[in-house]
């Protein structure tokens, strides 16, 4: 169960501050509790809805996370800016890369993680086509062993990296936070360097499609990521999270990742609705021959619109 938020202020309110409590359960955290300060805003009718967010949470696993993010479209879609800042200190689990690693061969470690990323895209053609770039910094420091297999522990190392990326995108979604129609096509290629001097390339492709008829919305997503064996372990593609709900993020890692998700959202009344989702994917090492060891997921949930004006949902 989790309390979530989606949607944004209506046309009569171009700027709102929405404090939202969060409570939930995830494989990586077990139970967690926290708060989100969300600021949806629309400067003029020519602007698409934008949002800024500040979130803090603590978990049953004694993890502490603080993050901030923003997504902003310029008027008449002339450009797009987004970014996120994250700092966290937490215990975590690590399995060696691969799609067929035994579940009992893991190590538990403590670390401090920080990350910063910002991007800017400019409209370069008709039909909402954008191009631009991004910069990124990430680090995993103060790494310490807690328990588990000592051989697996040898695959861990602290590190820092800096990366730059080129991005191309088509974005016709009607809402950044809670889309009902439109699609996103996004391709990103980056070059990264670590503090040890390793240089490696990465690629990401993200395709999302939304269609709404009366009280239902169909959402599809295909996400593909190409990593590199030269990267630090924390920058290898990891199966789980939003792309593969229900899997412990990092239970399966590799230098290749592909996930497909489909979701059906059905409205029951003006406030209540339910969701069905299912997916398939994998994370694997290119040389392992494990690409077809696909891992399914599926589930259902309910949504209750706690704030009709701001369209904030409680999600179970």
């Amino acid at each position: 169960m989790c309390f979530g938020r989606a949607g944004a202020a209506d046309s009569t309110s171009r700027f709102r501050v929405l404090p939202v409590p969060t409570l939930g359960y995830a494989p990586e955290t077990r139970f967690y509790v926290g708060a989100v300060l969300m600021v949806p805003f629309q400067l003029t009718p020519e602007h698409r809805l934008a949002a800024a967010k500040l979130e803090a949470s603590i978990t049953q696993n004694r993890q502490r996370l603080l993050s901030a993010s923003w997504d902003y479209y310029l008027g008449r879609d002339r450009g797009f800016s987004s970014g996120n800042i994250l700092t966290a200190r937490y215990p975590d689990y690590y399995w060696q890369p691969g799609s067929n690693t035994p579940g009992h061969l893991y190590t538990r470690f403590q670390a401090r993680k920080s990350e910063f990323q910002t991007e800017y895209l400019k409209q370069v053609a008709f039909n909402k086509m954008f191009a631009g770039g991004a910069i990124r910094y990430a680090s995993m420091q103060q790494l310490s062993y807690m328990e588990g297999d000592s051989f697996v522990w040898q695959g861990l190392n602290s590190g820092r990296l800096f990366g730059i990326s080129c991005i191309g995108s088509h974005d016709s979604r009607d809402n950044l936070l809670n889309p009902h129609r439109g699609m996103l096509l996004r391709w990103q290629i980056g070059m990264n360097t670590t503090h040890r001097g390793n240089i490696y390339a990465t690629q990401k492709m993200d395709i999302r499609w939304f269609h709404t008829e009366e009280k239902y919305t169909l959402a599809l997503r295909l996400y593909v990521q190409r990593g590199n064996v030269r990267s630090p372990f924390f920058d290898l593609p990891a199966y789980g999270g939003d792309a593969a709900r229900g899997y412990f993020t990092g239970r399966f890692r590799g230098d290749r990742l592909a996930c497909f998700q489909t979701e059906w959202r059905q409205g029951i009344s003006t406030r209540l609705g339910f969701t069905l989702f299912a997916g398939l994917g994998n994370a694997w090492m290119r040389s392992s021959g494990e690409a077809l060891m696909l891992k399914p997921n599926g589930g259902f949930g309910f949504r209750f619109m706690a704030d009709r004006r701001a369209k904030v949902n409680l999600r179970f």
Side-chain angles (χ1 to χ4, degrees), residues 122-237:
K122 181 177 176 58
Q123 189 174 42
V124 294
F126 64 93
N127 200 24
K128 303 184 186 300
M129 300 293 295
F130 301 87
I135 59 173
R136 175 182 176 231
Y137 168 83
S139 75
M140 184 78 76
Q141 299 295 318
Q142 300 178 20
L143 205 64
S144 60
Y145 172 85
M146 297 182 70
E147 62 176 328
D149 191 288
S150 58
F151 176 77
V152 175
W153 163 257
Q154 296 174 16
L156 293 173
N157 53 77
S158 60
R160 298 185 300 274
L161 66 89
F162 176 80
I164 57 174
S165 301
C166 294
I167 304 171
S169 173
H170 162 71
D171 189 355
S172 62
R173 294 173 296 173
D174 61 343
N175 188 306
L176 285 175
L177 302 175
N178 189 20
H180 289 81
R181 293 180 178 84
M183 68 184 306
L184 170 70
L185 301 174
R186 179 183 167 97
W187 177 74
Q188 180 174 351
I189 181 169
M191 292 299 297
N192 309 270
T193 180
T194 70
H195 72 289
R196 292 185 173 91
N198 292 332
I199 299 175
Y200 61 95
T202 56
Q203 294 184 51
K204 297 178 183 179
M205 182 180 69
D206 196 352
I207 303 175
R208 308 184 192 194
W209 179 81
F210 303 88
H211 178 73
T212 297
E213 290 287 346
E214 296 182 351
K215 289 188 176 182
Y216 79 82
T217 298
L218 177 64
L220 305 176
R221 184 186 186 191
L222 174 65
Y223 180 72
V224 178
Q225 186 174 353
R226 179 178 178 179
N228 196 293
V229 295
R230 294 184 178 182
S231 70
F233 80 94
F234 58 86
D235 202 36
L236 281 174

